[in-house]
Every structure is written in structure tokens, then in C-alpha cells.
Amino acid sequence: MSDFRGDGEAALDWVAGYLERVGELPVASKASPGDVRGKLSPFPPEQGEPFEAVLRDLDAAILPGITHWNHPRFFGYFANTGSDPGILAELIVAALNVNAMLWTTSPAATEVEELALDWLAQLLGLPEGLHGHIDDTASTATIVALAAARELRPGGHVLTSEHANFSVEKAARLLGVECRFVPVDGDYRMRVDALAQQIEGAAAVVPTAGTTSTTSVDPVREIAAVCEQAGAWLHLDAAYAGSAAVCEEFRWTLDGAELADSIVINPHKWLFTPMDCSCFWTRRPEVVFRAFSASPEYMPEREGSVTDLKDYGPALGRRFRGLKLWAVLRCYGRDGLQALIREHVRLAQLFASWIEEEPGWEIAAPHALSVVCFRREGSDEDNAGILEHVNRSGEAFLSQTRLDGRLVLRLAVGNARTTEDDVRRAWAALREAAV
Ligand code: PLP
């Protein structure tokens, strides 16, 4: 028999200790392929072992193979946060272990999910009355949107910008829908004139609020007018930048969102919710329902006003993700979320000012939010070398992209534990690597 309380205390102690010292660990794992497996038994145990054994291997074998996304100097991709309320809520979700496929399979799971989405819509200034649900990822949410669009216009193509996330093209491919790309302007925003030329016969247009490379925000309001005329579904991918709209001064990131047929925002990116949590809202739930509802014999259709969330996406079984989002929103509150978002934008702008002031370095794209694209004068190889040097040092972790044919470095602030000192340390590591 397991000693649940004893093991639980040890596990929680491990988690608390990890979060206290994570900032002292090298950010990127130094593991070579096979290192982690090499330290673990290739054979399953014949007899069950105590949980203690799991914690032992965690320290000895698994932790060295972890790149610490929850590190204050993780600045790669879109940095994120496993926050205290999110971590604790995940523990409770695992204990409840409900499947939120139908309202009846656990009424609270559906209702808390819907409530958390309503709260978030209020915090972001989205219109009232949207139908919301939580998906694992924005990739899935975009599949949902494009499947709905296909219901309305089978055979139509999908339009998105050259700077859209690859998940849009992938969703289109999965659905057997052609994806076409709209060129961007000098600030990496979808060109509305070019969109208008390609719109005829389109089933959907997917603009982005916060593109993956530079966080540019497409002109959604103008795009919506083109969609309206052509009868195309407008799905807004606000996976990253939508979160900024909790602050009034960043509401512009969702300008025109009220005109979208569907929207996705990822609290597991910039809203302090542990992986995975992707929020999808639509003002046309009946179309999404048409694309996904099914009532097999073993799940008879029910009369009534409740929602069965399995009818709004590809998955039948659904985790109780609403609890962690609700817990995060409840424990941070509007003030707490705003303070963190503002601080992250401040830190990114501070970093950008250092780049601007330092001879030999340049800013590579507009940077209104918490991500800065920059490069050192010189070749792509020089810049790749700097990135590798910094990441290998363990002092900080950054990522890269390509803009106008040139390799550029990206610093993304997004972890709730990041301080000004952490950003200074990353800058010092970059300058040292460039010598
Ligand atoms: N959309 C944008 C703009 C992104 O940057 C990303 C990932 O970084 C995605 C969608 C895909 O997100 P997910 O990993 O939740 O599928």
C-alpha cells in the first residue's frame, strides 16, 4: 500500500524546493540523445516500487534532461509559467480525474470551464455571449475553427499570412483544405489589399494577433470587412498576444476581435497557466456543433439547455482544464495579471533599449509587447554562434527566427518569476558571447 500522505508531502516538498532553486539551475539541458534513457532501467519492475524511487530517479536521471521552461531566464519561443495556483489545481484535477465529455459525466467540469471562459472574456474585453471551451492547444482550436468554416463552404480555401504559425497550415492539411498565404507589409502584418485579391471562394481567413516570429498584429478590423463581404469565416489566432488585452493599454491587440467568428488565446503561453490550456470562443457555436456533434447509442442525445463539450471539438475525452484556469484567474485577479503583463512588456522594452544603445547590435522588428527580435552585426553563422554559446552556458535560453532572409535572435519575456536582474544577466551573456 502506498503512503499517500507521506509520499504527497515528499512530492510537494520536491516541487516547492524545485521552484525555489530553479533559477540557480542551468536553463537548457546539457543531455545528449539517449542520456536520460541510459540512466533509467530499460525493463519495467516486476514488483511495484515505493514512490520514493520515482523521486530518486527524478533527481538523478530526469532533471538533467529537463530544459527549464519554468526558469526566470527562459526567454525562448514564448516563455510561459507554471504558476503556484496552476500547479496546485493540476494536482486536484488529477485526484478528481473526471472526464468532461458530457455535462452529466461531471456537471462541475463543464460549468467551471464555461465560467472560467466567461471570466477571461470579461478580463480581455471580449463581447458578451460568446460560446467558449478549452482545447489542449491552439493547434487543436484552429482545427475546430477550420472544420466549422468547411461546414459552411466545402471546397473553399484558407487564407493566412506568411507569418502565421505553422499550426494553421497543418490544420488545413489535416482537413483536406488548401492553405494559401497572404504577403505581409514592412511590419510583418497581413496586407489587406493582397487578401482582397485572394479572397474569392475562401472558406476562412486566419489573421494573427502576435505572430510567432515577431508578435506583429494583423489588422483584424479591416480583414473582417473583407471576410464579411466574401462570406468567409474569420478565425483570430491570438494565441500569444490576446493575453495582453487584460491591460487597457494593450486592448489594441484584440481590436476587431468582436467581428471574428472564432478566437483562440493560449493561457498556457502568457497567462500563467500550466500546459495545456487553450481557450476557444465562437459567436457561431451552432456551426461548430454541426461539425463535431455525434450521439452514438451509448451516449443518447439529451433534451435540455446544458452543453456537452464533446460536441465542440475532435476529442471525446476531455480533461478538467477549467479548474486550473479558474484557479489562476481567481488567485491573480485582474490586478495581478495586469501587473505581470506590464512588467514583462517593461522588461522587453528595457532590453530593446540596451540593444539600440549598443554599437554592433540592431533591432530586427517592431517590438510593442514582450518579445524582442534583434541581431549582432555580422553573418547568420555569427548570430547562430552567439545563440549557441548563450544557450550552452546555461545562463539564459533564447531562440531564433528568420526575417527577410536573415537569422535573428528572439528574447521573449513571459515567466512570472523573471526580474530585471534576469534580463540583465541574459544581456551580459549575449555580449560576452559576441566578443
Ligand atoms: N499560434 C501562434 C501565434 C503561436 O505562436 C503558436 C505557438 O507558438 C501556436 C498558434 C500553436 O500553439 P499550440 O502549441 O498551443 O498549438
Side-chain angles (χ1 to χ4, degrees):
M1 282 292 281
S2 76
D3 167 18
F4 188 76
R5 279 185 192 280
D7 291 341
E9 270 168 33
L12 199 58
D13 201 46
W14 189 94
V15 171
Y18 171 73
L19 294 175
E20 279 157 22
R21 75 193 161 98
V22 61
E24 293 151 30
L25 301 174
V27 189
S29 167
K30 295 188 188 338
S32 301
D35 275 2
V36 175
R37 288 196 64 157
K39 289 188 193 140
L40 296 167
S41 166
F43 307 110
E46 293 300 328
Q47 273 87 44
E49 297 176 33
F51 192 74
E52 212 180 277
V54 173
L55 291 183
R56 238 188 353 257
D57 278 349
L58 186 60
D59 282 320
I62 296 173
L63 214 54
I66 294 288
T67 289
H68 299 282
W69 282 67
N70 226 359
H71 193 296
R73 289 188 302 288
F74 184 97
F75 297 114
Y77 312 105
F78 283 122
N80 60 14
T81 306
S83 62
D84 295 359
I87 293 167
L88 295 174
E90 282 281 28
L91 175 68
I92 295 165
V93 168
L96 297 172
N97 201 33
V98 302
N99 187 330
M101 54 191 176
L102 306 174
W103 179 86
T104 46
T105 56
S106 214
T110 297
E111 294 192 16
V112 172
E113 180 165 327
E114 292 183 324
L115 176 68
L117 280 251
D118 277 357
W119 277 15
L120 186 52
Q122 290 175 49
L123 289 166
L124 300 175
L126 292 174
E128 277 178 30
L130 295 176
H131 184 278
H133 74 259
I134 302 182
D135 283 313
D136 52 358
T137 59
S139 304
T140 302
T142 297
I143 292 171
V144 172
L146 297 191
R150 191 181 58 171
E151 282 295 308
L152 296 180
R153 187 166 283 166
H157 57 283
V158 171
L159 288 163
T160 197
S161 100
E162 297 166 330
H163 272 250
N165 186 263
F166 180 67
S167 53
V168 180
E169 188 181 350
K170 205 194 235 183
R173 195 199 291 169
L174 276 171
L175 293 163
V177 171
E178 186 193 350
C179 188
R180 298 184 194 163
F181 296 94
V182 181
V184 292
D185 64 17
D187 287 341
Y188 310 105
R189 295 151 40 100
M190 189 190 284
R191 272 181 41 204
V192 182
D193 61 324
L195 172 71
Q197 284 167 13
Q198 295 174 254
I199 192 77
E200 200 181 323
V205 178
V206 186
T208 312
T211 53
T212 311
S213 283
T214 72
T215 74
S216 59
V217 175
D218 290 334
V220 175
R221 191 169 293 283
E222 294 166 52
I223 291 168
V226 177
C227 290
E228 171 82 29
Q229 268 216 328
W233 184 283
L234 197 168
H235 174 59
L236 175 57
D237 177 356
Y240 157 73
S243 298
V246 294
C247 302
E248 288 82 11
E249 68 272 33
F250 301 126
R251 281 271 161 94
W252 58 267
T253 55
L254 288 182
D255 182 48
E258 73 279 8
L259 305 169
D261 295 290
S262 56
I263 307 166
V264 59
I265 292 175
N266 274 5
H268 73 223
K269 281 189 170 33
W270 199 16
L271 217 61
F272 321 112
T273 308
M275 287 286 294
D276 50 3
C277 184
S278 191
C279 296
F280 175 94
W281 291 272
T282 180
R283 59 189 173 101
R284 304 173 82 179
E286 69 291 349
V287 187
V288 178
F289 182 88
R290 238 165 71 190
F292 290 103
S293 68
S295 293
E297 283 307 313
Y298 43 84
M299 272 176 194
E301 226 171 306
R302 253 173 329 90
E303 299 294 313
S305 59
V306 297
T307 302
D308 289 334
L309 289 172
K310 61 123 176 105
D311 290 327
Y312 295 86
L316 172 59
R318 311 180 73 262
R319 304 180 62 225
F320 185 3
R321 296 192 186 88
L323 189 77
K324 66 182 166 186
L325 179 61
W326 179 72
V328 166
L329 300 181
R330 189 150 181 195
C331 295
Y332 280 99
R334 192 193 298 271
D335 281 0
L337 298 172
Q338 287 179 339
L340 278 173
I341 297 272
R342 285 184 180 131
E343 176 63 359
H344 289 173
V345 176
R346 185 188 78 79
L347 292 176
Q349 301 311 313
L350 184 65
F351 177 79
S353 73
W354 298 335
I355 296 281
E356 268 161 2
E357 284 159 17
E358 183 87 353
W361 294 82
E362 61 177 293
I363 294 288
H367 50 84
L369 298 168
S370 70
V371 174
V372 183
C373 291
F374 63 100
R375 74 193 304 282
R376 169 88 179 160
E377 272 171 14
S379 66
D380 284 358
E381 290 70 32
D382 294 340
N383 279 278
I386 292 170
L387 183 66
E388 203 198 323
H389 190 281
V390 170
N391 288 354
R392 207 163 2 95
S393 75
E395 177 70 354
F397 185 90
L398 286 81
S399 57
Q400 66 179 58
T401 189
R402 192 164 283 279
L403 294 178
D404 306 318
R406 296 191 313 173
L407 186 138
V408 308
L409 310 183
R410 276 175 88 262
L411 179 125
V413 184
N415 186 277
R417 298 176 180 86
T418 300
T419 63
E420 187 172 318
D421 185 52
D422 291 310
V423 182
R424 278 186 198 285
R425 283 176 65 170
W427 178 218
L430 284 159
R431 291 172 74 195
E432 195 189 302
V435 176

